[in-house]
Amino acid sequence: MIDEIHVKDLALIKEATLAPARGLTVITGETGAGKSALLSAIKLLVGERADASTVRQGANACTVEGRLFREGEAGDGTVAVRRVSSDGRSRVTIDGSLASVSELASTVGARVDLCGQHEHQRLLKQPEHLRLLDAWGGDAISAAKCAYEAAWDEAHRAASELARLEEAQRASSESIEEARFALSRIEEVSPLEGEYEELMAELPLRENAEALAHASLGAHEALSGEGGAIDAVVQASALLESMAGIDARYGESAQALREACFVLEDVSRDARSFSEEAEFDPAELAAVQERVSAFQGLMRAYGPRMEDVFARRDAAHELLAVVDDASEALSQAQSRCEQAEAALKAAADELAQRRREVAPAFAREVCSQMERLEMGSASIEVGFADLPREQWTSAGSDRVELLFRPGSGMQPRPLARIASGGEVSRVMLAIKTVLGTLDSAETLVFDEVDAGVGGATARALAEVLADLAKCRQVIAVTHLPQVAVLANAHFLVEKEEREDGFPESSLRPLEGEERVKEVARMLSGDEESTSLEHARRMLAQAGVV
């Protein structure tokens, strides 16, 4: 419920604070005093549209701040701020964090229901009728509704899978043939991961085998052949060793040559081995070149890298697997879809039956409250219409609409078409009273619910509002003293004509004699003794004074 609203620079209001009571709060004042500006502030707070005309003349922006609590909630509740600048831009914060207008509507707007005559009445929207009936039906409907929603989700999943398979089956023959050709061409080569890199390392060795063999054999002969490097090193080492007894350095050099000789012998053996391995084989060279050429052909077609070739192969495999297995998969998907549809049909029939069972009692309860509101023989009933399958929604398979009968002998018609503004307001009040704590909104704001009402109807309307305020916070802009005297809190809107030409509206709570005077004004338009006495008597009967 709303704990407090602070308004600044909105329309005629320079600054005002509204702290509504837990039960019934009324806002009264002369016509044109600025009551509509307070309603505009609440509309901004619940996320409705705003424009630059909302901003008070001469101000840069208007601001509406509100704090809301849930019943039994601890802490500071929810604090929302809506700022509208003179260029029409909105800025929203919720609990100190920036938010969007849609987030404001989903958090605060879901907790406050604006009940005007036409513009803000969800009652005129047919989907709202279904929500109201389901809320009133409670447990009698909720289980069937949950079962239907689960069946709806399953049917949607099954239909989506069937559509996917059908789309795959409808893939063009050109795409299928292209995939088959690509797979055939790639599999004809049968490339292995890393094979191309190995071939590219092997190819230069194959292509230069003769040169490699000639070089390695020549090196072997130069080292180990008659008169080669090894013989020369051995001879040099012997000569130096013969002088080692005279000078030790000769011996060291001879030892170094002997060690060098070991290295030369190793190189000579390796060179001989290289020459044997580098044997030129034209057939093997041609095979490697042909293999590399095949790989490069695949990369030109599906590359530019071998990774791309492998990816194209896998994609073709996947497509052809779906197509080739489509008949079996499609048959299974069709079967699942049919089963899901059968389950959905059963759940839809059960939900529709439950709604039809509770609808008469709901209508009777509302009609009873309408009778309290002195609406004569007017009544409502709940109309049902089965929808074709393609029009089913997650809410059900039938159309539910409230029908209004202005008189006992008249044909019921859709409420939005034939009921007057005042009638719609009182029907909404009747429904809100019937729903009581089942309604999701914690705060109900009534604007002009008493338009065109007087006498016995006014007293009845006041009593119904007071009853509704026992289980919900109710804020009502009213001109009826019968409503005002039953309020737990009474606020007066007054307009002052200022010398600077900018009229200003103010809001203040009324208590004691001030409240008596306002009720007297509402009764007769003045504060004469008779009116004041009548006002005191009405307030006393209401237990206020």
Side-chain angles (χ1 to χ4, degrees), residues 412-469:
R413 300 286 179 81
L415 179 66
R417 294 185 185 178
I418 64 172
S420 67
E423 288 171 330
V424 170
S425 295
R426 278 178 279 168
V427 170
M428 169 169 274
L429 179 55
I431 291 174
K432 294 294 184 182
T433 304
V434 168
L435 287 177
T437 57
L438 298 173
D439 196 352
S440 59
E442 304 160 7
T443 300
L444 306 177
V445 182
F446 288 96
D447 176 25
E448 297 184 343
V449 70
D450 52 14
V453 171
T457 304
R459 288 193 299 273
L461 186 144
E463 291 171 359
V464 171
L465 279 173
D467 285 347
L468 183 57

Side-chain angles (χ1 to χ4, degrees), residues 387-428:
L387 296 173
R389 174 63 183 88
E390 60 272 14
Q391 294 182 19
W392 290 14
T393 68
S394 58
S397 63
D398 48 3
R399 176 185 175 89
V400 177
E401 186 169 18
L402 293 180
L403 305 177
F404 182 74
R405 191 193 304 270
S408 57
M410 302 182 70
Q411 186 74 16
R413 300 286 179 81
L415 179 66
R417 294 185 185 178
I418 64 172
S420 67
E423 288 171 330
V424 170
S425 295
R426 278 178 279 168
V427 170
M428 169 169 274

Side-chain angles (χ1 to χ4, degrees), residues 13-81:
I13 300 175
K14 183 174 180 60
E15 191 163 6
T17 298
L18 173 66
R22 181 180 295 270
L24 174 61
T25 298
V26 296
I27 300 171
T28 65
E30 297 277 6
T31 300
K35 299 187 295 296
S36 60
L38 279 175
L39 291 171
S40 296
I42 296 176
K43 293 170 189 175
L44 289 179
L45 192 62
V46 301
E48 294 208 2
R49 293 184 61 184
D51 54 50
S53 65
T54 308
V55 182
R56 176 177 165 80
Q57 188 174 352
N60 294 323
C62 67
T63 305
V64 181
E65 300 173 281
R67 182 170 57 190
L68 297 90
F69 288 92
R70 293 192 184 277
E71 193 68 31
E73 180 182 37
D76 297 329
T78 299
V79 178
V81 181

Side-chain angles (χ1 to χ4, degrees), residues 51-52 55 60-62 83-90:
D51 54 50
V55 182
N60 294 323
C62 67
R83 185 177 187 275
V84 180
S85 60
S86 55
D87 60 5
R89 294 183 180 179
S90 276

Side-chain angles (χ1 to χ4, degrees), residues 488-517:
N488 302 102
H490 187 161
F491 287 83
L492 174 65
V493 180
E494 296 175 301
K495 183 171 70 173
E496 176 187 356
E497 297 293 341
R498 297 165 55 91
E499 293 182 358
D500 58 9
F502 291 95
E504 182 177 317
S505 293
S506 61
L507 177 72
R508 60 189 177 91
L510 297 182
E511 294 181 354
E513 194 62 22
E514 285 190 327
R515 187 169 180 183
V516 173
K517 290 179 180 179

Side-chain angles (χ1 to χ4, degrees), residues 463-479:
E463 291 171 359
V464 171
L465 279 173
D467 285 347
L468 183 57
K470 293 175 182 177
C471 61
R472 281 287 180 269
Q473 183 184 50
V474 176
I475 301 173
V477 176
T478 183
H479 70 279

Side-chain angles (χ1 to χ4, degrees), residues 67-127:
R67 182 170 57 190
L68 297 90
F69 288 92
R70 293 192 184 277
E71 193 68 31
E73 180 182 37
D76 297 329
T78 299
V79 178
V81 181
R82 176 91 177 269
R83 185 177 187 275
V84 180
S85 60
S86 55
D87 60 5
R89 294 183 180 179
S90 276
R91 177 186 174 92
V92 176
T93 62
I94 300 175
D95 291 331
S97 299
L98 287 174
S100 65
V101 175
S102 61
E103 288 173 322
L104 183 66
S106 63
T107 53
V108 177
R111 298 162 64 172
V112 180
D113 194 359
L114 297 172
C115 308
Q117 279 200 1
H118 283 290
E119 184 181 359
H120 308 291
Q121 278 198 15
R122 291 184 294 181
L123 185 59
L124 296 179
K125 300 176 182 179
Q126 180 270 324

Side-chain angles (χ1 to χ4, degrees), residues 277-295:
E277 292 175 359
E279 182 180 356
F280 177 68
D281 188 334
E284 289 188 4
L285 173 60
V288 172
Q289 289 175 329
E290 183 178 355
R291 186 71 175 160
V292 169
S293 177
F295 272 79

